[in-house]
Amino acid sequence: MNYLDRRNFLKLSTLALGGLSAGLLSNPSMARGFKKNLRLGFVGIGGRGSYHLDTALGITGVEIPAICDIDPKNLYRAKRWIEESGQASPKLYDKGPTDFIRMCEEEELDAVICATPWDTHAPVCLAAMKNGKHAACEVPLAQTLEEAWELVETFEKTGKWASIVLGGFGDLTMLNMVRKGLLGDILHAESGYIHDLRMVKFNPEEEPWRLQPAIDKNGNLYPDHPMRNIMPLLDINHGDRFDYLVSMSTKSGMLNEYAKAQYGEKHPYATKKMALGDYNASLIRTIKGKMITLNHDTHTPHPRESFRLQGTKGIYLKERENQRIYIEGRSPEAHQWEPAAPYLEEYAHDIMKNYAPPERKGGAIRGHGSGGITQTPINWHRLILALQENKQPDWDVYDSVTSAAIIPLTGASVADKSRPVDFPDFTRGKWETRAKLYS
């Protein structure tokens, strides 16, 4: 396969041929058609980082010459996995919490993979971009508006992007329902990060950094998981944009109660003041009059979150174990839910219908979040294709920082008695003409 043929092939694969293009990632004879092997450096190889590392090790044509972590256990486990995969032993960067800068300066890499604690995401990505490397990052990409703008401006200056492509893939079937007009014009979406993390926040072995943001910050601290679905559905940065938001938090007390129950009333965290309210609700309005209700709750006992999407013709409700829909004039009973399964089959997106990568050698991917996956995840598949073609991934810099900006903006609104806060336009007006996501 020559280079021009491959370009045409990849253009088609983006539209529909996910199953065929998946073969490029595992078939050595087809991998030889790549312009070059991809060289990836990893920063942060704990739970999520090890998952991404093992995913990359299962992709033909990907080399991992350098890894960085402050934890020797994580670092040497990753070194062993790389060697066991048949690759050369990687160079180790372990000289303190900023040694990723040296890695970005010294190594010849196509991209840096970042799975570190939240407050280091932007510094790692900026170090990569400023040293001629793309950056694929776990969520969120930034913690402050200053970081968000610096990421945008560094991309526009260097041409090297940073993206939250590692954070997962949106629900394309739901997106196809919207694009085909099943629900009419979209008016309102409601979702959030509703996940009881009390045990995680007090577990120094799993994520020892996870408690500190709850001590220091209030607002919606983790918007990206729901936003990866909501933003494409509402055409955010691709025909519409966020205008302003308001945010409100309850009192904080559940983490203290958990510490008392688990460790006793004399434990320091039984009385430690926590900034983060136990429940945060934020309302976001777009320039074109759509609305989002975005929730955040990691402190109370509950099942995982649901998703609600309201249009002028009907409504779709997705819960963990149940998906329902009501379409005016089409559902069999007026004002009565019906199962969504037939619609999910009818409106399955071509990208997902045709994505069928072969099983990985070596079995299930290891690391946090793998869930027994034995195939290359689609977000990693499309990341590799983007790097091979030197294009931005599905979620570009502008989309990634827009989602992250919810963190400081909700914090500002909560601190100012829930007054409205204007949303920056990171695209500087380009949102009106940018092509839709996944189009």
Side-chain angles (χ1 to χ4, degrees):
M1 180 182 290
N2 64 38
Y3 174 56
L4 289 176
D5 288 343
R6 187 175 175 279
R7 285 183 63 87
N8 292 333
F9 170 77
L10 289 174
K11 183 177 180 181
L12 289 171
S13 102
T14 300
L15 296 174
L17 302 181
L20 288 175
S21 58
L24 285 170
L25 302 186
S26 59
N27 186 321
S29 64
M30 297 187 77
R32 285 194 290 271
F34 285 168
K35 291 179 288 184
K36 61 176 181 177
N37 285 352
L38 290 173
R39 293 170 59 85
L40 305 180
F42 278 71
V43 182
I45 328 168
R48 284 297 286 172
S50 64
Y51 161 79
H52 292 304
L53 173 67
D54 206 31
T55 298
L57 289 173
I59 301 174
T60 300
V62 171
E63 300 173 0
I64 303 169
I67 54 177
C68 178
D69 201 292
I70 61 173
D71 186 335
K73 175 175 60 70
N74 293 341
L75 196 70
Y76 283 93
R77 177 185 61 189
K79 177 179 180 290
R80 185 180 75 251
W81 287 6
I82 293 169
E83 293 168 344
E84 289 172 352
S85 75
Q87 295 193 28
S89 184
K91 185 172 180 179
L92 307 184
Y93 288 85
D94 58 354
K95 301 186 186 308
T98 61
D99 208 28
F100 62 85
I101 298 174
R102 185 168 64 94
M103 188 187 86
C104 292
E105 291 173 343
E106 294 182 357
E107 296 291 331
E108 183 180 339
L109 303 169
D110 294 286
V112 169
I113 308 301
C114 176
T116 58
W118 298 343
D119 62 346
T120 55
H121 287 182
V124 171
C125 291
L126 287 165
M129 298 161 76
K130 291 176 180 179
N131 285 280
K133 300 156 181 66
H134 301 301
C137 191
E138 269 289 343
V139 296
L141 195 62
Q143 289 290 307
T144 68
L145 294 181
E146 291 77 15
E147 287 180 340
W149 277 115
E150 186 176 2
L151 287 159
V152 168
E153 290 162 0
T154 302
F155 162 67
E156 293 175 344
K157 180 179 179 180
T158 66
K160 298 301 178 181
W161 48 257
S163 169
I164 55 171
V165 61
L166 298 184
F169 212 64
D171 188 331
L172 296 190
T173 296
M174 187 161 48
L175 180 62
N176 205 31
M177 289 180 183
V178 171
R179 297 264 169 93
K180 299 286 187 181
L182 178 67
L183 300 178
D185 294 332
I186 299 303
L187 299 172
H188 176 235
E190 180 172 3
S191 188
Y193 192 67
I194 309 295
H195 189 182
D196 184 357
L197 294 179
R198 289 173 296 173
M199 181 178 67
V200 172
K201 294 188 179 189
F202 285 101
N203 183 352
E205 295 298 319
E206 188 167 347
E207 293 180 346
W209 52 271
R210 195 70 180 253
L211 179 62
Q212 195 62 42
I215 297 173
D216 296 337
K217 296 181 179 182
N218 203 353
N220 189 309
L221 304 191
Y222 206 55
D224 298 274
H225 279 291
M227 280 295 140
R228 71 188 178 198
N229 281 326
I230 292 174
M231 284 176 58
L233 293 171
L234 274 61
D235 295 328
I236 301 304
N237 290 343
H238 301 266
D240 199 354
R241 74 170 182 88
F242 294 142
D243 188 5
Y244 63 91
L245 62 74
V246 296
S247 186
M248 181 180 294
S249 292
T250 69
K251 65 180 182 178
S252 179
M254 291 298 295
L255 289 182
N256 299 127
E257 292 302 315
Y258 186 84
K260 288 178 187 177
Q262 297 295 318
Y263 312 114
E265 294 191 0
K266 294 184 179 180
H267 191 274
Y269 289 122
T271 56
K272 178 76 172 178
K273 182 175 175 57
M274 304 289 175
L276 180 60
D278 292 330
Y279 197 101
N280 174 270
S282 303
L283 301 179
I284 309 174
R285 199 175 193 275
T286 77
I287 289 288
K288 295 191 175 180
K290 304 171 197 141
M291 178 180 153
I292 297 167
T293 302
L294 186 66
N295 303 309
H296 180 271
D297 177 2
T298 57
H299 295 175
T300 68
H302 49 66
R304 292 294 296 271
E305 66 274 0
S306 62
F307 188 98
R308 183 180 187 274
L309 186 64
Q310 178 70 62
T312 56
K313 293 182 179 179
I315 182 171
Y316 169 68
L317 180 63
K318 180 178 182 180
E319 298 167 318
R320 298 294 288 185
E321 307 297 333
N322 186 25
Q323 297 183 60
R324 296 176 286 168
I325 198 167
Y326 174 73
I327 307 298
E328 188 174 47
R330 179 167 172 175
S331 292
E333 299 291 335
H335 308 298
Q336 295 293 321
W337 293 106
E338 62 172 312
Y343 295 89
L344 301 179
E345 182 177 354
E346 179 181 351
Y347 287 92
H349 198 288
D350 284 343
I351 287 177
M352 301 306 298
K353 281 194 300 186
N354 296 298
Y355 184 65
E359 296 287 321
R360 300 173 68 254
K361 292 180 180 179
I365 299 171
R366 294 165 285 186
H368 172 66
S370 59
I373 297 171
T374 58
Q375 297 174 323
T376 298
I378 190 169
N379 59 314
W380 258 96
H381 164 68
R382 290 174 72 88
L383 167 61
I384 295 300
L385 294 179
L387 288 169
Q388 284 291 345
E389 287 299 294
N390 198 27
K391 298 175 180 176
Q392 291 212 65
D394 297 306
W395 276 68
D396 62 17
V397 176
Y398 303 106
D399 299 323
S400 299
V401 301
T402 296
S403 181
I406 292 170
I407 300 168
L409 294 174
T410 56
S413 180
V414 169
D416 197 22
K417 295 186 176 181
S418 303
R419 289 184 173 86
V421 175
D422 288 338
F423 217 103
D425 175 14
F426 294 104
T427 74
R428 297 186 177 96
K430 293 191 289 288
W431 62 270
E432 296 187 79
T433 56
R434 277 161 44 93
K436 294 183 184 300
L437 280 169
Y438 309 113
S439 59

